[in-house]
Amino acid sequence: MRAATLPPTTMRRWATRGLLLIALVFLLKEASAIVLPVLVALILTFVLAPAVRTMRHHGMPEPVSAAMLVTTVVGCSVLSVALLAEPAAQWWQRAPEAVTQALNRVDRWRASIPGFGPPVERRSAGRAPAPPADPVRDRLASEGVALTAQVLGGGLKFLVSAAATTILLYFLLASEHWVLSRCIELLPHRPRLRAMVLGGLRAAQRDISRYVASVTAINVGMGLVVAGTMWMVDLPNPGLWGALAGLLNFIPYLGPLIMCGLLLAASLASALGDAGFAAMSAPVLAYLCIHGIESNFVTPMVIGKRLSMNPLSVLLSVMFWGWLWGVAGAVLAVPLLICLRSISQRNRHMRPVAVYLRGSDRPCPPLSSLLRPPPLSPHPLSPAAASAVPPASSPPVTSLDGAAPAARPDALEQHRP
């Protein structure tokens, strides 16, 4: 028999959709300067819109409440940056020296292990040995100007994006009710369709607001605990490491790995590197213990099963949006995944996607049970009819084509009302 093939029209349709999807991905990558501020403002609007609606119900105009909330958010952000600017600048100034110290300690550890030490150069007769070159120092000296220019350019771009996000956030909060009503008004005049779209938007808004608020509270508490722990193990600038731990915890899976690398580098560059292996590894081990308690006990208890996501889908989302937009995309990965789940739950064509995105504690059935044919479910009979039917002495016989033989007239007369 010939294998079944798709019609040419269907193949062209799927090829066109694939090309459009690829073009959309690269368009989002190139238009990140415009798309990112809009998405960040929309996510923050989902989080802050319930507070604006509450103030509106109490008689406060929406522009005034939006201005109060945006001013509070901007003020808290500027205050946090001002408090962390000085310790961050200190670490930035001592970065070349810290890298050199860390490399020297690693070389001493390598020299203490037989077979892993650096090669010893043979001395030539009558010549003094040439001093070894320091590739890290030469690279930092040659690329210092380019690195400074790149940092300044990135900082200026960040300030412009932050200003655009703030302005857009104010206008979205001040006109959230008007924009939502106009969007519903543009739909066809079908109450069921409008109710489904409005319910989906409200559900996505509620889930994203609950997730962002819960994760923010958890990360603030985790930052305070990490700062206190770093102070106890004598790591310099514990407040900076607590703030970095709270910020990087917004990035699932990859953020804690980056934090472990930063803590290990800081331990090598500080006085803890000379105190022994136990003192040097204490910050990293303490952070891993705190993160293990937070990820396995605190976060599931606070967020609950309603907002639980499939870990594989979360990791793939972080990798994709991180590749597309960098750190900002990795932070927005989970809120965007929640939006996709809310949409797929209310669209019958996308419900299989919701199955893969939803987290579940239910154990998976064995594959052998999935391969079994479904059990036959006969039509239920009334007790009188069931007692009138004689017990079958042998299984029913079917014809070769799989169809059951016709029932006898007397059996039909017994079951006829």
Side-chain angles (χ1 to χ4, degrees):
M1 296 178 63
R2 296 178 58 185
T5 58
L6 294 176
T9 307
T10 306
M11 295 180 62
R12 284 196 299 269
R13 187 185 303 116
W14 282 103
T16 304
R17 291 176 180 176
L19 292 176
L20 286 177
L21 181 61
I22 295 173
L24 179 61
V25 169
F26 283 96
L27 178 63
L28 291 176
K29 188 175 182 63
E30 295 297 327
S32 60
I34 299 176
V35 178
L36 265 179
V38 175
L39 277 180
V40 173
L42 284 175
I43 297 297
L44 292 177
T45 302
F46 283 175
V47 176
L48 301 176
V52 175
R53 287 199 299 268
T54 303
M55 294 181 184
R56 187 186 66 203
H57 292 331
H58 287 81
M60 184 177 292
E62 289 183 347
V64 177
S65 57
M68 291 176 57
L69 290 174
V70 172
T71 304
T72 303
V73 172
V74 173
C76 293
S77 302
V78 172
L79 181 61
S80 302
V81 171
L83 292 176
L84 299 175
E86 184 177 357
Q90 293 176 0
W91 280 98
W92 179 262
Q93 290 177 358
R94 54 180 297 194
E97 181 183 358
V99 171
T100 304
Q101 291 178 1
L103 291 178
N104 292 335
R105 290 191 178 98
V106 171
D107 289 338
R108 288 200 299 268
W109 293 341
R110 288 175 56 193
S112 63
I113 302 175
F116 288 91
V120 180
E121 298 181 358
R122 296 181 179 178
R123 296 184 179 182
S124 57
R127 293 183 183 180
D134 191 352
V136 176
R137 186 173 298 175
D138 295 341
R139 187 177 183 86
L140 290 175
S142 61
E143 298 184 0
V145 178
L147 182 61
T148 304
Q150 186 176 2
V151 170
L152 292 178
L156 182 61
K157 186 184 297 185
F158 174 76
L159 290 178
V160 173
S161 299
T165 303
T166 304
I167 297 172
L168 184 59
L169 174 62
Y170 169 75
F171 283 104
L172 285 176
L173 286 175
S175 58
E176 186 258 346
H177 182 70
W178 181 85
V179 171
L180 186 59
S181 62
R182 292 298 177 269
C183 292
I184 299 299
E185 188 179 3
L186 290 176
L187 295 175
H189 192 69
R190 287 185 289 177
R192 184 175 181 181
L193 175 63
R194 292 185 174 185
M196 183 180 66
V197 173
L198 181 59
L201 289 175
R202 289 302 188 196
Q205 184 182 27
R206 182 176 60 254
D207 292 344
I208 292 176
S209 176
R210 186 178 303 172
Y211 172 80
V212 173
S214 303
V215 170
T216 302
I218 292 172
N219 292 345
V220 169
M222 183 178 177
L224 294 176
V225 174
V226 170
T229 307
M230 297 303 112
W231 175 77
M232 293 175 62
V233 298
D234 293 331
L235 187 67
N237 305 117
L240 176 64
W241 303 115
L244 286 177
L247 291 176
L248 290 176
N249 206 42
F250 281 100
I251 305 175
Y253 304 113
L254 300 182
L257 292 178
I258 297 173
M259 189 63 195
C260 289
L262 292 177
L263 287 177
L264 182 60
S267 301
L268 285 172
S270 63
L272 296 177
D274 296 329
F277 180 78
M280 185 197 66
S281 60
V284 179
L285 294 179
Y287 172 75
L288 288 177
C289 292
I290 296 171
H291 174 68
I293 295 173
E294 175 267 329
S295 59
N296 293 307
F297 299 99
V298 179
T299 299
M301 182 177 61
V302 174
I303 292 181
K305 296 182 179 180
R306 178 180 176 83
L307 296 179
S308 61
M309 304 289 292
N310 187 6
L312 180 60
S313 62
V314 172
L315 180 60
L316 292 177
S317 179
V318 170
M319 293 173 61
F320 174 75
W321 294 109
W323 165 78
L324 198 65
W325 291 332
V327 178
V331 174
L332 295 175
V334 179
L336 292 176
L337 202 64
I338 293 175
C339 287
L340 179 61
R341 189 186 66 174
S342 300
I343 294 173
S344 59
Q345 284 177 347
R346 288 162 177 82
N347 190 344
R348 61 185 182 88
H349 298 290
M350 297 180 63
R351 282 176 185 171
V353 179
V355 174
Y356 288 98
L357 298 182
R358 189 185 308 115
S360 178
D361 296 334
R362 182 173 60 88
C364 297
L367 296 179
S368 58
S369 64
L370 298 177
L371 298 177
R372 296 171 186 168
L376 297 177
S377 56
H379 296 286
L381 299 176
S382 61
S387 60
V389 176
S393 58
S394 60
V397 181
T398 56
S399 58
L400 294 178
D401 57 354
R408 294 179 300 172
D410 55 349
L412 292 178
E413 291 294 336
Q414 293 177 0
H415 297 293
R416 182 175 297 171

